[in-house]
Amino acid sequence: MSKATHLECSLCGRRLEAGRSAGLCDCGGPLLVRYDLDKIRHRWRRREVCRGPASMWRYAPLLPPADESVVSLGEGWTPLVRARRLGARLGAESLWVKDEGVNPTGSFKARGLACAISMCAELGIRKVSMPSAGNAAGALAAYAAAAGIEAHIFMPRDAPQANYLECKAYGASVTLVDGLISDCGRMAVERGAAEGWFDLGTLKEPYRIEGKKTMGFEVAEQLDWELPDAIFYPTGGGVGMIGMWKAFDEMEKLGWIGSRRPKMIAVQAEGCQPVVRAFEENEPRCRFWEDAHTVAAGLRVPKPLGDFLVLQAVRGSRGAAVAVSDDEMLESGVALASVEGIYAAPEGAACVAALQKLLASGFLSASDRIVLYNTGSGLKYPEAYSTRFPRTAVGEQDKLGGLITPR
Ligand SMILES: *Cc1c(COP(=O)(O)O)cnc(C)c1O
């Protein structure tokens, strides 16, 4: 028996029955999971949350799977690190980094896929597929392995080595495609239809958002139920942003927080910034971004399926959308690592660069309480960071790498 009351289309509002395997609405809109919050409000109080486990499952009453279906590797309840030294350097007095890099498989994708795979287990789905160039693939492969579910992943041939290797190690079937992520998506759908695979692509089913929304619950709980003034989120498909926005709504309906919202800042890469363009042009949806390129693989999404939901959250919060260059990302990543000891994915590092811009423009002030989401670990990006720290071949003497040949 599902804890949800129904599924609701985010585009046309149509209602579907809960507890079923669902893809997109017939109109093409992503589905959202709805609960009887009035009932939950009387049975589960804010002060009781801390009795739950030190993982995202401490919010289990607001997550769809039944307790016995949960497939967990300990995802969520990540540290909210007070970044005093970085804050002092940038001129932000109350700065935190929510470090999602410590999740299983090294990124916040673990949250979404723990929830989605748990629902697959509950609904008896045995074979799943996904197109991904990066961390979503690794997380899918890990949770599918833990659940004994067959995972079929379609990856562009130039996907980072770390993501390819982890998928193989987790026993997923990986097809390397000589093409773009959109080609991978098409192949996954075509092969999947013939083979009966369930499509776990971004926003193609309603349960990944539910896992990711726990980032919103956690930031509230960790700040003693007082949301910050601004949240910086590196936005690719925007699932984390959509999820957090939904979490704030649910918490308000439960009486856990008031109606004040943080300014939601969508951070993108200069080489792929469809949300920034739509925001600046005052459009409700994004246009496809041609020739998308950035070292931040998680931000290489030319046309997010849930673009209108991301833009609603950004506008509804009087937030902003900001693009930063790959150079700025890597430079900020090195700054964050060397000043705070947090080695961030370029996506997470992009938030530091974006913060600098919004402090400089006066959009944010020194006294604002600010949370940056570091969505992944820098350890998964050796190719990107190698460009900052080139090494010469072993045996060669060179000042750059500081290599010394023993006599
Ligand atoms: C996938 C990914 C993102 C983008 O996530 P969305 O919620 O889909 O916007 C950001 N950072 C990292 C490290 C990712 O893997």
Side-chain angles (χ1 to χ4, degrees):
M1 198 35 210
S2 174
K3 281 179 259 167
T5 52
H6 62 281
L7 305 173
E8 183 183 297
C9 175
S10 56
L11 205 54
C12 73
R14 182 169 163 213
R15 289 166 73 115
L16 291 154
E17 140 201 14
R20 53 177 248 168
S21 69
L24 292 171
C25 175
D26 289 341
C27 80
L31 297 173
L32 299 173
V33 182
R34 299 298 184 201
Y35 305 84
D36 186 347
L37 294 171
D38 230 24
K39 195 159 101 195
I40 296 173
R41 182 186 175 116
H42 295 292
R43 293 195 181 162
W44 188 44
R45 313 269 165 183
R46 193 174 83 172
R47 61 176 141 71
E48 294 171 86
V49 174
C50 63
R51 291 191 209 138
S55 76
M56 72 177 208
W57 299 102
R58 62 204 283 108
Y59 309 104
L62 284 171
L63 293 170
D67 293 349
E68 58 276 16
S69 314
V70 170
V71 179
S72 175
L73 297 169
E75 53 289 337
W77 201 237
T78 53
L80 184 67
V81 180
R82 182 81 158 83
R84 279 206 178 76
R85 279 161 50 80
L86 182 69
R89 185 179 280 204
L90 301 182
E93 290 156 17
S94 303
L95 182 64
W96 287 268
V97 176
K98 179 77 170 149
D99 191 8
E100 294 291 308
V102 303
N103 272 301
T105 71
S107 88
F108 80 114
K109 293 287 197 304
R111 295 178 187 264
L113 284 148
C115 190
I117 288 290
S118 296
M119 284 308 288
C120 288
E122 180 163 315
L123 299 170
I125 295 168
R126 309 300 315 157
K127 297 178 182 184
V128 300
S129 68
M130 179 193 282
S132 167
N135 292 317
L140 168 63
Y143 287 93
I149 285 174
E150 214 176 280
H152 297 269
I153 293 163
F154 292 80
M155 253 187 195
R157 226 182 62 182
D158 59 357
Q161 180 76 334
N163 300 114
Y164 172 72
L165 291 178
E166 63 178 333
C167 289
K168 294 297 286 182
Y170 290 130
S173 119
V174 183
T175 306
L176 289 178
V177 178
D178 198 5
L180 302 171
I181 187 71
S182 44
D183 301 312
C184 296
R186 217 176 33 247
M187 285 184 69
V189 169
E190 280 166 15
R191 289 274 313 276
E195 307 272 352
W197 301 335
F198 185 72
D199 187 354
L200 281 177
T202 303
L203 291 177
K204 293 272 192 74
E205 55 74 51
Y207 301 115
R208 268 169 77 183
I209 301 180
E210 293 302 292
K212 288 191 174 185
K213 80 180 178 185
T214 56
M215 289 191 292
F217 295 149
E218 285 179 22
V219 77
E221 186 179 351
Q222 288 172 318
L223 291 174
D224 207 14
W225 309 106
E226 195 63 54
L227 291 176
D229 297 309
I231 283 182
F232 284 70
Y233 185 77
T235 305
V239 185
M241 175 81 88
I242 297 166
M244 281 194 273
W245 196 244
K246 183 172 189 282
F248 298 156
D249 237 34
E250 291 177 353
M251 285 191 289
E252 185 180 352
K253 292 199 176 102
L254 290 173
W256 292 6
I257 61 168
S259 59
R260 200 181 63 83
R261 294 288 182 272
K263 292 190 171 84
M264 301 300 280
I265 317 289
V267 182
Q268 297 209 293
E270 277 182 2
C272 182
Q273 43 169 317
V275 172
V276 177
R277 178 171 64 188
F279 178 74
E280 286 173 353
E281 293 177 351
N282 231 342
E283 295 291 339
R285 301 206 69 154
C286 298
R287 273 181 294 131
F288 188 91
W289 191 272
E290 301 290 342
D291 285 329
H293 61 89
T294 166
V295 295
L299 304 186
R300 217 182 296 139
V301 182
K303 168 78 173 93
L305 201 55
D307 50 5
F308 61 105
L309 296 170
V310 175
L311 287 158
Q312 278 167 19
V314 170
R315 294 194 174 112
S317 68
R318 299 171 185 281
V322 185
V324 306
S325 71
D326 280 11
D327 247 9
E328 289 171 321
M329 270 183 229
L330 294 173
E331 191 178 317
S332 300
V334 173
L336 181 57
S338 60
V339 172
E340 293 289 350
I342 297 171
Y343 186 28
E347 291 88 339
C351 294
V352 178
L355 170 60
Q356 268 177 297
K357 289 181 197 247
L358 294 190
L359 285 168
S361 72
F363 185 83
L364 292 175
S365 63
S367 61
D368 283 331
R369 298 163 78 243
I370 296 165
V371 173
L372 311 181
Y373 274 77
N374 170 36
T375 41
S377 167
L379 290 173
K380 294 186 87 173
Y381 297 78
E383 291 100 336
Y385 279 106
S386 295
T387 61
R388 308 300 292 191
F389 304 111
R391 287 200 307 185
T392 49
V394 174
E396 257 176 71
Q397 183 111 21
D398 188 273
K399 274 180 288 194
L400 265 180
L403 188 72
I404 292 173
T405 315
R407 268 179 295 168

